[in-house]
Amino acid sequence: MVLLAGMVLASVSADRAEQLYGPQVLRIYRDWQQLVLRLGREGTEDGRIREVNQFLNQRLRYMEDSMLWRQEDYWATPLESMSRGAGDCEDYAIAKYFTLRELGVAPQKLRMVYVKARIGGPSSTITQAHMVLAYYATPTAEPLVLDSLVTSILPASQRNDLQPVFSFNADGIWVGNSTAPNANVDRLTRWRQLIDKMKSEGFIN
């Protein structure tokens, strides 16, 4: 179990996951458990970052909330995403964040980042809202970007198609170039709802 800003990540049994979401969740959840167990015993943090990113990008298919949940904007728990085998950009970032926290990656190294993503090529002026996960090896390091739509993990400077809007983790919200949080993460209603759902699942104590 890993301390998460006053919360504790708990190991949910396969039986509990199946009880909550049916046998379909086990198609991914059992492999996810094995991945976490293996990476927890071996490898480097860099390797964990890359394997978790690859696993979730490969095992979840991209689907908009309106199709998957019949809602305009829904933040799914990792278990919910695994039960559907799909999610949108927020769901990928959330699943990667909590998986890496489960593996002991320090919370200050991870932030979910809302960005404006330019689509249609380098000269395009068309953007759409998107979320990625950023990993900071050290507090002053250039972040690496874990993206649901791009296979490679690249430094932020090589993702000039992304314009950051704000970032957050369990410790707070960052806006602009601040080195400290500008606001409490509880201001994000979707985050509060997500944490409440994860507590009810038993994923967080």
Side-chain angles (χ1 to χ4, degrees):
M1 294 187 293
V2 179
L3 187 65
L4 176 67
M7 299 174 285
V8 174
L9 296 183
S11 296
V12 176
S13 70
D15 288 343
R16 170 63 176 165
E18 183 176 11
Q19 180 186 23
L20 287 168
Y21 297 112
Q24 67 273 9
V25 73
L26 300 180
R27 289 176 295 184
I28 298 177
Y29 188 63
R30 281 182 173 144
D31 291 342
W32 179 88
Q33 285 183 310
Q34 291 302 312
L35 176 76
V36 169
L37 287 172
R38 178 174 62 80
L39 293 180
R41 293 192 303 262
E42 62 186 46
T44 63
E45 187 162 281
D46 179 70
R48 291 175 184 133
I49 296 292
R50 296 185 184 281
E51 287 208 46
V52 167
N53 185 66
Q54 181 182 49
F55 177 87
L56 289 165
N57 280 1
Q58 289 179 344
R59 298 302 299 272
L60 300 178
R61 68 187 188 280
Y62 190 90
M63 187 178 292
E64 297 287 348
D65 287 335
S66 58
M67 295 291 292
L68 188 58
W69 301 105
R70 303 293 188 265
Q71 296 184 37
E72 185 176 342
D73 188 22
Y74 184 84
W75 289 14
T77 71
L79 280 176
E80 286 179 312
S81 296
M82 291 182 213
S83 74
R84 299 296 183 96
D88 71 353
C89 57
E90 290 98 343
D91 303 326
Y92 281 88
I94 288 164
K96 292 172 187 179
Y97 174 83
F98 282 105
T99 301
L100 291 169
R101 290 294 296 115
E102 181 79 7
L103 286 166
V105 177
Q108 63 268 24
K109 292 184 174 183
L110 300 169
R111 291 189 213 167
M112 287 162 280
V113 189
Y114 261 117
V115 300
K116 291 181 181 178
R118 188 173 63 252
I119 56 178
S123 61
S124 173
T125 59
I126 301 172
T127 63
Q128 66 181 26
H130 186 47
M131 185 187 281
V132 298
L133 182 67
Y135 167 75
Y136 297 77
T138 67
T140 58
E142 179 182 9
L144 299 176
V145 178
L146 284 67
D147 195 340
S148 57
L149 301 179
V150 177
T151 302
S152 302
I153 298 176
L154 298 172
S157 61
Q158 295 182 30
R159 293 300 308 273
N160 54 16
D161 57 318
L162 305 179
Q163 178 183 342
V165 178
F166 72 91
S167 62
F168 68 97
N169 62 21
D171 293 331
I173 301 171
W174 284 257
V175 180
N177 295 320
S178 175
T179 56
N182 305 96
N184 192 303
V185 72
D186 286 340
R187 291 181 58 182
L188 296 177
T189 301
R190 300 289 185 196
W191 176 261
R192 295 199 310 269
Q193 293 171 340
L194 175 73
I195 296 304
D196 286 343
K197 286 187 294 181
M198 294 182 71
K199 287 180 178 178
S200 69
E201 292 172 342
F203 208 98
I204 293 176
N205 288 336

